[in-house]
């Protein structure tokens, strides 16, 4: 279901989170009050909650900031803006990663950026669904082409994680870190995740679609299906508003140069910084690879980006992939 033009206009009017009367909305949109009411009823399907109070009118449960291309591009420096070949914003899409993967097969160039107000088939690692109501979070994917094969960019998600933390710190969010291999965490809870999908020749040209989902505002009722502790920027920023367009722009501004330069620099350029942001080091945890479970104390990552774990027998293991789980309850 695509959002109707009149629904988008109503959302734009209600975006400030204040009350607006039915008469005011009807006049602004040139329609009857009953037509306004019908359009409002359709917002539930988008995960948008609103209140209707007699004598006051209608108000969204929380203010939203709809995405706008000019507002996003304004946050990019001129050199980074030159790396953007195209910027698309979708009201609703299956998945920004899936969309760009389709375009990549049609020879779309590097720097194609896709954002969405809502995904209906958003993807996380291992096939998990990414939960996000309309107009509330960051759903971002960027296509980039590389001359070397997939093995040369195997640690790309770690470098992109560094770029995400840089962007958050530029916006004053200092209490976020990285959980190997591709999660953004804050105080033991998941704030976002990175999903990179690579296709191409084993030893030749390939492309990568880098997807980022970042929680800006995630209502409790929408997060019921999430199977792990989670948080959002609304909570960790102490109620200080984080502009959604500026956040999207800062993220793109930091991620693009990582993608453009990774074949030249590799992980080495980001290794020390990643270790600084590592929120797992020193934790007793389990690593799951299929049905196998390995327990021990995590000791960061090596120069290849492999996770290091020291077990109870003082053996040091290195993991190229796997699912990490803390062995103690989150605080």
């Amino acid at each position: 279901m695509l959002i109707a033009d009149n629904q988008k206009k109503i959302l734009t009017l209600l975006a400030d989170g204040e009350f607006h009367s039915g008469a005011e909305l009807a006049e602004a949109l040139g329609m009857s009050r009953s037509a306004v009411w019908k359009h409002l009823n359709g917002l539930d399907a988008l995960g948008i909650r609103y209140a209707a109070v007699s004598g006051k009118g209608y108000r969204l449960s929380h203010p939203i900031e709809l995405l706008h291309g000019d507002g996003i591009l304004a946050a990019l420096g001129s050199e980074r803006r030159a790396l953007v070949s195209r910027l698309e914003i979708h009201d609703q899409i299956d998945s920004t990663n899936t969309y760009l993967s389709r375009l990549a097969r049609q020879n779309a160039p590097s720097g194609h950026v896709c954002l969405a107000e809502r995904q209906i088939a958003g993807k996380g690692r291992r096939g998990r669904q990414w939960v996000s109501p309309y107009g509330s979070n960051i759903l971002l994917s960027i296509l980039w082409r590389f001359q070397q094969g997939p093995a040369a960019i195997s640690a790309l998600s770690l470098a992109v994680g560094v770029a995400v933390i840089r962007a958050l710190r530029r916006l004053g969010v200092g209490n976020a870190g990285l959980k190997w291999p591709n999660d953004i965490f804050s105080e033991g809870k998941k704030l976002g995740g990175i999903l990179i999908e690579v296709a191409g020749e084993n030893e030749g040209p390939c492309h990568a679609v880098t997807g980022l989902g970042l929680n800006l505002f995630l209502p409790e009722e929408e997060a019921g299906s999430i199977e792990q502790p989670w948080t959002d920027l609304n909570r960790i920023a102490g109620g200080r508003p984080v502009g959604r367009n500026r956040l999207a722009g800062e993220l793109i501004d930091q991620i693009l140069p990582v993608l453009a330069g990774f074949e030249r620099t590799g992980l080495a350029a980001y290794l020390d910084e990643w270790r600084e942001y590592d929120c797992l080091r020193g934790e007793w945890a389990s690593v799951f690879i299929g049905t196998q479970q390995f327990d021990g104390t995590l000791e960061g990552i090596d120069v290849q980006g492999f996770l290091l774990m020291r077990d109870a027998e003082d053996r040091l293991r290195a993991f190229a992939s796997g699912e990490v789980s803390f062995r103690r309850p989150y605080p």
Side-chain angles (χ1 to χ4, degrees):
M1 182 197 74
L2 294 176
I3 183 169
D5 287 341
N6 283 328
Q7 281 182 314
K8 185 75 173 287
K9 291 176 182 176
I10 289 173
L11 278 177
T12 301
L13 293 169
L14 296 178
D16 58 9
E18 301 296 329
F19 278 107
H20 296 267
S21 71
E24 175 189 344
L25 296 175
E27 181 179 358
L29 296 171
M31 63 176 63
S32 67
R33 292 179 64 177
S34 62
V36 169
W37 179 79
K38 288 179 181 178
H39 283 301
L40 282 166
N41 274 350
L43 296 181
D44 279 344
L46 299 171
I48 299 171
R49 304 290 178 258
Y50 68 92
V53 177
S54 178
K56 289 188 174 182
Y58 304 97
R59 182 180 70 179
L60 297 183
S61 61
H62 69 282
I64 63 173
E65 182 183 334
L66 299 178
L67 296 172
H68 191 276
D70 290 343
I72 293 169
L73 291 173
L76 274 66
S78 59
E79 291 184 6
R80 278 75 182 277
R81 199 176 307 161
L83 297 174
V84 178
S85 59
R86 185 172 181 181
L87 174 67
E88 292 189 46
I89 299 172
H90 293 259
D91 281 326
Q92 184 165 285
I93 200 171
D94 51 359
S95 157
T96 55
N97 260 34
T98 299
Y99 176 74
L100 284 188
S101 293
R102 289 196 294 265
L103 292 185
R105 295 191 292 271
Q106 299 169 19
N107 298 318
S110 291
H112 197 128
V113 179
C114 178
L115 295 112
E117 299 286 5
R118 182 174 186 249
Q119 293 184 144
I120 57 174
K123 297 182 290 184
R125 288 188 76 230
R126 304 183 184 275
R128 296 188 180 99
Q129 182 183 10
W130 190 269
V131 176
S132 181
Y134 184 93
S136 297
N137 300 309
I138 297 295
L139 307 168
L140 164 68
S141 295
I142 303 175
L143 167 65
W144 202 267
R145 296 188 177 276
F146 298 90
Q147 294 306 306
Q148 302 177 51
I153 58 170
S154 60
L156 179 60
S157 66
L158 300 178
V160 171
V162 169
V164 173
I165 300 300
R166 288 175 177 174
L168 291 175
R169 293 197 171 191
R170 282 174 62 96
L171 293 172
V173 180
N175 53 346
L178 298 171
K179 174 180 179 285
W180 185 92
N182 56 10
D183 284 341
I184 314 302
F185 258 53
S186 178
E187 298 175 353
K189 299 176 181 179
K190 186 168 180 175
L191 176 64
I194 298 160
L195 177 64
I196 297 182
E197 297 179 288
V198 181
E201 302 293 330
N202 285 336
E203 302 296 333
C206 68
H207 69 261
V209 175
T210 297
L212 170 67
L214 193 67
N215 297 332
L216 183 56
F217 179 82
L218 190 56
E220 294 281 352
E221 60 269 22
E222 293 292 327
S225 62
I226 300 177
E227 298 176 350
Q228 60 181 307
W230 60 270
T231 189
D232 59 27
L233 287 177
N234 183 63
R235 289 172 170 81
I236 70 174
R240 178 175 49 83
V242 178
R244 192 161 167 253
N245 282 288
R246 186 184 172 198
L247 173 60
E250 291 286 358
L251 290 165
I252 296 167
D253 189 66
Q254 293 296 327
I255 293 172
L256 279 173
V258 171
L259 299 177
F262 192 78
E263 281 187 303
R264 175 175 48 84
T265 68
L267 180 61
Y270 307 96
L271 190 58
D272 289 344
E273 201 169 349
W274 198 99
R275 287 168 172 165
E276 176 188 343
Y277 303 148
D278 184 1
C279 62
L280 289 179
R281 190 178 183 91
E283 296 283 354
W284 181 264
S286 297
V287 175
F288 297 90
I289 302 177
T291 59
Q292 289 185 292
Q293 176 178 335
F294 303 88
D295 301 323
T297 301
L298 300 180
E299 296 195 359
I301 59 173
D302 65 13
V303 294
Q304 295 177 282
F306 291 4
L307 181 68
L308 301 175
M309 169 185 279
R310 191 170 299 278
D311 65 19
E313 284 73 44
D314 202 33
R315 292 174 298 191
L316 188 65
R317 298 180 182 270
F319 299 91
S321 64
E323 190 78 8
V324 179
S325 175
F326 289 103
R327 293 296 305 279
R328 58 177 175 75
Y330 289 98

